[in-house]
Amino acid sequence: MASVEADVIADRDDSADLAALERSWREPPGLWGWLITVDHKRIGKRYIATALVFFLLAGLEALAMRVQLARPENGFLGPDRYDQFFTMHGTTMMFLFAVPVMLAWGIYLVPQMVGTRDVAFPRLNAYGYWVYLIGASFIYVQFLLNTGTDVGWFAYVPLAGPEFSPGKRVDTWAQMVTFTEIAALIAAIEIVVTVFKQRAPGMSLNRLPLYVWSMVVVAFMVIFAMPAVAVASTFLLAMDRLVGTHFFNPAEGGDPLLWQHMFWFFGHPEVYIIFIPGLGFVSSIVTTFTRRPVFGYVAMVLSLIATGFIAFGLWVHHMFATPIPQLGQSFFTAASMMIAIPSGVQIFCWIATLWLGKPRFQTPLLYALGFIVIFVIGGLTGVMIASVPFDLQVHDTFFIVAHFHYVLIGGAVFPLLGAITYWFPKVTGRLTSERLGKIGFWLVFTGVNVTFFPMHFLGLMGMTRRVYTYLPGQGWGGLNLLSTIGAFVIAAGVIVFLYNLAASWRFGAPAGDDPWGADTLEWAIPSPPPPYNHARIPIVQGRAALWSMTPDRPVVVGLNETRREVLVTTVMDAEPDNRQESPGPTPVPFFAALATGFLLILLVFTFQALWIGAIPLGLALFAWAWPRHPDRAWRLDAEAGR
Amino acid sequence: MLNPAGPQADSIFGLWTYMWIASTAVFAAVMVALAMALVRGRRRDAPDVSEAGEGRARRTIVVATGITLAILLATLVASYLTGRAYAVTPESGRPLQITLIGHQWWWEVTYNDSLSSRSLSTANEIHIPVGRTVVVKMTSSDVIHSFWVPNLAGKKDMIPGYSSTMWLRADRPGVFRGQCAEFCGHQHAKMALLVVAEPPAEFARWYDAQLADNMPPTDTTQSTGKNVFMSHGCVLCHTIRGTDAGGRVGPDLTHLATRRTLAAGTIPNNRGWLGGWVMDPQGIKPGAKMPPNDMRPDELQALLAYLQSLR
């Protein structure tokens, strides 16, 4: 076991070590370097950017749907195209935007926040991104050819089965699920291992920043939830469609309800997977902009964990209208209502923090406040629809559409926009415009309420979901038009938001290391961060890592700067345990992802893909596992006289 | 849902009223607390990290969480009681038994009587007597549909391979629109039906009229129309009792002219729309299973005359 010691160095000369660090963590320039990088920040950034592109695409799809619904019997999108649009809107928002963008922020932020140099498995991390990109592009190619999936993001059988959806539309969707599940599971594993084994010394679990806690909970949820849908879509649905099995075919003794159970066992936790990172963002923002640690750290952490657990006991509330026993339904009603408790506790704690702190009303805090307003409305309607009889009336109506957009936009998109504004200076080294930021916020906030609040009434008036049109005599035209207008207000807000980012990237004022006076470790390093993150691994002395740091700022010494090395610490107390070599840039993950993509895409068309695709994939994995010479670069350096 | 016409919808409306008031109160309370926090914090010179401040906040949060829990428990009990009343079929009298089968994209309605000669099959329009309990048994012939008449009761899924049951009752006469609530393919939007609640005597008259087989055509145009029906594709899918037409793919047309709408609640049942529907169903309901029909204008006119005579 290598020796690692913590030492206090009052007056140190770092320049030689820094040059060595630069050399070890340097990446090849140009396109090649871009393809082979394993740096969690570069991968995190491209992950976030890709997910945001899909956010915009899904937003455009939503606008098109709102135009179609603006008046009765409108002819903008026909039924086939409307069905493709709402399927792709849901699929994109859930699988290609929300989960990836949240995990991507985790990949970008967590290593810096826990004070390490890279994620636990950098090559796997790179592979995960490429798999996600290939799968997401694949389903969009199909959509742009006007043969997009048209059975909803929930793909209920038998409608999604071979008899009622011939062709390859649903197969592509099912395979896209596989791609994104692989990517999500990889990101989750990265986050769990990085947090548990690579925290800076002194950052025991009870000093973990709340954002990191939220990502740990989410990562575990991903690990437990995703396999259910992967099994359902990849094995059972694909087998029914491609091989001719009858898992879901009632005519042959299969069961269509099996799909619903498996889908929602994933689908409900999925909602919490999307919004728990949002809670983490809000905690970070509230702390920084009230200059006070979030009140009730322990209650906050327990609430996050409780939410993660209860989230797995709610899935049947999507199925109250199916013929299942009443006693079972009561259990899910109770669980669905009780999840309001941990959410409520967190809201109360943030309000207490604002009460006790000194809030600065800058754009990120506005988004956090907007989150509280919108999320509380969504949470209250959530309690309502946990009630079986009430749900039987509003289930599958626009009331539900209103409810979950309040929860997801409030719980995930607002915190995300706040987080982007908050960490933009760290990522790019430049400040954004406060004025544009605030204009964007108010446009989005107004737009969301104008779009989605009327939908509650539409649902109560009887307007069902997933309808491409409605009849003139039904009296739904006015509220629908209002909702469509709201959608364009949101779009205007998003344009202002993006313009602000683009302009600031180019012309923004330099941010410096820590423009907000924040408390977490990523603000201790330069903006944008160097490839190795922290020049010296800091030693953490309290929950608010930077605010509790003593003036001498103790650091770890003993890591080898002449090669890529990370410090491994113990799970509970983060005591130094070991040194671990971290791999350098390599094209292997990229080629392995290409081979995976080849196999999975071919599998849509023929089962023979299993062995045809196994050959390139096997070769790629062989190259991946080829023994490296961890010490060679170091030895060469040593021979050169270092 | 906001205009209940039966005990089911009525009890849910009551629950909704309670939840709406409770939610509005909770939302207002949270917003007031948030606003006060912001005003307080703004006046402060430095963040309060004192023990006293923490203690006050802790006590407030414990109380607030307790209130939340109490409201949730009250809601849970209210929901449970409503749900139990909702689920149990009333014992009073002999309920009317209806079997409903969902198809892409229309509703097959069968009234079951212990005398098979008194059983009756129709489509897309359910007549029920006011004040009498109706038990609806449901399933689907293809994909999942969901039966929902908001004025009367909550929805119930119709799943192939499963049989589900619900009861409902109308307490006042009226025509109530229902719609398929589970996405079932391209014409999910235009899969509606009407529930016509009428006084028992009127219902009995309607029932007896529906039981009768179709009368033979009374004039030459109608009998030409009947020949058009029998010699074109229509006969392959539709039944007209009392004739040779016995197709089971599409809706039963024996008493088509008595229905208020065509194409599952999509268009009014009049000569113009009927003609449009026969010639070009895909223009009105793209994706519908009914193919376009090609016929000469005089054939069409005769067919319409015949179809409109199916009373």
Side-chain angles (χ1 to χ4, degrees):
Chain A
M1 185 168 294
S3 77
V4 178
E5 52 187 274
D7 202 352
V8 178
I9 304 174
D11 183 25
R12 50 181 179 256
D13 176 23
D14 282 341
S15 52
D17 295 343
L18 265 182
L21 256 185
E22 292 277 0
R23 236 190 341 271
S24 315
W25 290 85
R26 194 172 45 209
E27 307 237 314
L31 181 66
W32 183 243
W34 189 83
L35 277 180
I36 68 173
T37 183
V38 294
D39 178 357
H40 75 96
K41 293 177 293 298
R42 295 181 78 178
I43 292 165
K45 276 194 290 190
R46 69 181 57 155
Y47 225 138
I48 295 168
T50 314
L52 288 179
V53 168
F54 285 110
F55 176 57
L56 294 183
L57 289 172
L60 290 176
E61 286 148 23
L63 277 184
M65 291 193 292
R66 280 317 320 167
V67 170
Q68 164 64 17
L69 292 179
R71 61 189 178 94
E73 289 278 36
N74 202 1
F76 183 67
L77 296 174
D80 180 356
R81 199 158 291 178
Y82 186 88
D83 293 349
Q84 292 186 45
F85 270 62
F86 87 70
T87 302
M88 287 305 287
H89 173 72
T91 300
T92 309
M93 282 296 190
M94 300 300 269
F95 287 107
L96 307 183
F97 159 67
V99 173
V101 83
M102 294 304 179
L103 293 172
W105 270 110
I107 286 168
Y108 183 87
L109 285 174
V110 163
Q112 300 180 49
M113 252 192 212
V114 302
T116 184
R117 301 208 189 283
D118 205 335
V119 288
F121 311 110
R123 294 181 300 175
L124 190 63
N125 195 28
Y127 170 80
Y129 170 75
W130 295 118
V131 166
Y132 156 70
L133 181 66
I134 294 169
S137 315
F138 175 45
I139 197 170
Y140 261 85
V141 167
Q142 183 205 32
F143 178 56
L144 294 176
L145 296 174
N146 194 21
T147 52
T149 315
D150 54 355
V151 294
W153 87 285
F154 45 92
Y156 272 14
V157 287
L159 185 59
E163 191 184 346
F164 298 98
S165 292
K168 289 296 169 195
R169 292 180 170 201
V170 178
D171 304 85
T172 307
W173 177 87
Q175 209 60 301
M176 178 282 309
V177 173
T178 315
F179 278 102
T180 53
E181 303 306 280
I182 295 174
L185 283 168
I186 287 174
I189 290 165
E190 296 286 354
I191 289 167
V192 169
V193 180
T194 307
V195 172
F196 279 178
K197 291 306 291 177
Q198 289 183 210
R199 300 197 304 281
M203 188 182 275
S204 48
L205 280 185
N206 61 355
R207 288 176 177 173
L208 207 55
L210 285 171
Y211 171 72
V212 180
W213 263 117
S214 74
M215 289 313 296
V216 171
V217 172
V218 163
F220 273 108
M221 291 180 72
V222 167
I223 292 168
F224 285 110
M226 296 287 179
V229 72
V231 166
S233 74
T234 317
F235 291 102
L236 307 187
L237 184 58
M239 299 253 288
D240 269 19
R241 295 184 57 90
L242 201 58
V243 188
T245 54
H246 296 291
F247 288 106
F248 303 125
N249 180 3
E252 297 288 342
D255 189 343
L257 275 186
L258 173 65
W259 168 266
Q260 297 190 20
H261 280 292
M262 296 189 78
F263 185 81
W264 291 118
F265 184 79
F266 140 85
H268 200 83
E270 167 100 339
V271 175
Y272 292 85
I273 287 170
I274 289 167
F275 106 89
I276 287 180
L279 305 180
F281 289 146
V282 171
S283 286
S284 293
I285 291 170
V286 167
T287 306
T288 298
F289 291 90
T290 57
R291 297 178 184 284
R292 189 195 187 290
V294 170
F295 174 83
Y297 177 87
V298 176
M300 294 292 285
V301 172
L302 291 180
S303 296
L304 286 172
I305 297 173
T307 308
F309 271 101
I310 303 177
F312 283 90
L314 313 178
W315 80 93
V316 171
H317 74 205
H318 296 264
M319 301 165 60
F320 281 160
T322 62
I324 45 176
Q326 234 222 323
L327 187 66
Q329 293 184 347
S330 307
F331 169 80
F332 289 94
T333 296
S336 308
M337 287 190 181
M338 289 315 138
I339 203 159
I341 302 268
S343 306
V345 167
Q346 294 184 72
I347 300 270
F348 298 148
C349 285
W350 286 314
I351 292 179
T353 313
L354 290 162
W355 189 296
L356 296 169
K358 177 161 179 52
R360 281 179 292 168
F361 292 90
Q362 284 173 293
T363 311
L365 186 66
L366 287 185
Y367 276 108
L369 298 175
F371 149 81
I372 293 181
V373 175
I374 291 182
F375 183 71
V376 167
I377 296 177
L380 288 168
T381 52
V383 171
M384 294 180 188
I385 57 181
S387 155
V388 176
F390 182 67
D391 181 68
L392 291 179
Q393 277 287 22
V394 296
H395 179 67
D396 274 331
T397 70
F398 266 78
F399 190 91
I400 301 292
V401 178
H403 157 71
F404 70 74
H405 280 93
Y406 265 88
V407 177
L408 288 175
I409 292 181
V413 175
F414 268 65
L416 177 72
L417 297 181
I420 292 174
T421 319
Y422 177 58
W423 276 292
F424 186 84
K426 178 53 59 191
V427 178
T428 64
R430 291 182 185 277
L431 294 172
T432 54
S433 153
E434 269 298 309
R435 205 168 60 89
L436 286 178
K438 282 178 178 156
I439 294 174
F441 166 79
W442 284 111
L443 282 173
V444 174
F445 183 79
T446 314
V448 166
N449 285 299
V450 174
T451 308
F452 295 107
F453 205 77
M455 288 186 186
H456 290 115
F457 298 106
L458 284 171
L460 292 173
M461 288 158 73
M463 184 166 173
T464 49
R465 292 170 76 176
R466 300 156 186 153
V467 291
Y468 75 97
T469 194
Y470 50 95
L471 302 179
Q474 292 176 306
W476 301 337
L479 287 175
N480 270 300
L481 181 62
L482 184 62
S483 175
T484 302
I485 293 169
F488 280 92
V489 177
I490 301 179
V494 172
I495 289 170
V496 171
F497 184 87
L498 290 176
Y499 171 78
N500 187 14
L501 295 192
S504 307
W505 198 309
R506 189 122 174 67
F507 305 111
D513 292 3
D514 184 9
W516 312 114
D519 68 326
T520 39
L521 283 180
E522 78 276 21
W523 299 102
I525 55 186
S527 317
Y532 45 84
N533 294 343
H534 299 264
R536 298 276 188 190
I537 307 298
I539 290 172
V540 177
Q541 292 157 301
R543 250 175 219 160
L546 295 187
W547 294 348
S548 60
M549 196 75 85
T550 48
D552 54 11
R553 295 201 158 213
V555 297
V556 174
V557 297
L559 281 178
N560 188 347
E561 275 95 14
T562 59
R563 56 179 204 169
R564 293 185 175 219
E565 234 178 37
V566 295
L567 179 65
V568 178
T569 52
T570 57
V571 174
M572 297 298 285
D573 299 323
E575 279 164 5
D577 193 11
N578 205 343
R579 299 182 307 175
Q580 166 77 39
E581 207 218 353
S582 188
T586 159
V588 165
F590 178 68
F591 287 117
L594 282 184
T596 310
F598 173 72
L599 190 162
L600 289 179
I601 291 174
L602 198 61
L603 195 54
V604 168
F605 301 96
T606 166
F607 236 67
Q608 308 296 330
L610 281 179
W611 66 268
I612 302 173
I615 297 166
L617 184 59
L619 287 174
L621 295 181
F622 202 64
W624 191 317
W626 195 262
R628 284 173 294 151
H629 295 282
D631 289 331
R632 200 168 69 185
W634 173 72
R635 245 186 278 122
L636 287 176
D637 264 357
E639 281 160 18
R642 276 245 338 125
Chain B
M1 189 223 131
L2 296 173
N3 186 11
Q8 303 275 64
D10 203 45
S11 66
I12 297 176
F13 185 76
L15 179 67
W16 150 251
T17 312
Y18 154 73
M19 292 197 296
W20 184 76
I21 293 169
S23 300
T24 310
V26 170
F27 180 71
V30 174
M31 288 306 114
V32 167
L34 180 63
M36 283 170 65
L38 295 178
V39 172
R40 282 268 182 144
R42 206 168 202 178
R43 290 209 200 109
R44 224 178 265 290
D45 297 326
D48 179 355
V49 285
S50 67
E51 264 309 308
E54 295 252 333
R56 265 201 312 280
R58 192 172 304 120
R59 280 190 297 279
T60 316
I61 287 177
V62 168
V63 171
T65 309
I67 295 173
T68 313
L69 190 61
I71 295 175
L72 285 175
L73 285 176
T75 312
L76 190 61
V77 171
S79 159
Y80 179 73
L81 293 177
T82 313
R84 214 172 50 166
Y86 182 98
V88 179
T89 316
E91 296 285 323
S92 60
R94 196 170 51 86
L96 180 67
Q97 306 269 358
I98 296 179
T99 301
L100 200 55
I101 301 175
H103 297 270
Q104 279 179 325
W105 290 276
W106 61 281
W107 313 79
E108 181 181 342
V109 185
T110 309
Y111 290 78
N112 310 306
D113 196 279
S114 45
L115 280 173
S116 63
S117 63
R118 295 278 304 165
S119 289
L120 171 66
S121 193
T122 176
N124 298 334
E125 194 170 300
I126 304 177
H127 286 243
I128 58 171
V130 169
R132 184 165 164 202
T133 303
V134 182
V135 173
V136 188
K137 238 173 98 180
M138 288 171 263
T139 190
S140 163
S141 71
D142 39 46
V143 303
I144 301 177
H145 304 280
S146 191
F147 171 64
W148 184 39
V149 186
N151 299 88
L152 296 178
K155 54 190 68 68
K156 194 85 188 174
D157 285 356
M158 314 163 83
I159 304 176
Y162 279 85
S163 168
S164 24
T165 309
M166 67 177 283
W167 70 276
L168 49 83
R169 195 176 81 212
D171 285 340
R172 60 177 164 89
V175 179
F176 308 111
R177 191 171 188 277
Q179 184 156 359
C180 175
E182 183 62 80
F183 179 67
C184 56
H186 290 329
Q187 280 305 334
H188 168 57
K190 291 181 177 171
M191 181 170 168
L193 83 170
L194 296 181
V195 174
V196 182
E198 41 198 11
E202 225 171 288
F203 171 76
R205 263 201 305 282
W206 173 86
Y207 197 89
D208 289 335
Q210 296 283 314
L211 269 181
D213 278 355
N214 188 252
M215 292 291 121
T218 49
D219 65 29
T220 50
T221 326
Q222 286 174 17
S223 60
T224 315
K226 184 177 175 185
N227 288 334
V228 173
F229 189 93
M230 297 300 165
S231 58
H232 280 74
C234 322
V235 66
L236 297 174
C237 299
H238 294 287
T239 293
I240 297 177
R241 272 179 284 132
T243 72
D244 293 338
R248 299 295 305 273
V249 180
D252 184 309
L253 301 181
T254 311
H255 297 281
L256 175 71
T258 64
R259 294 186 205 146
R260 287 164 170 76
T261 63
L262 295 171
T266 306
I267 46 177
N269 187 2
N270 59 38
R271 195 179 177 98
W273 279 110
L274 183 61
W277 176 248
V278 169
M279 295 297 280
D280 182 23
Q282 299 299 321
I284 294 167
K285 221 169 146 173
K289 307 285 182 197
M290 178 156 154
N293 289 289
D294 197 17
M295 53 185 81
R296 294 195 314 270
D298 59 314
E299 286 179 334
L300 175 67
Q301 292 305 331
L303 178 66
L304 294 180
Y306 174 62
L307 290 176
Q308 291 210 296
S309 76
L310 300 174
R311 301 205 67 85

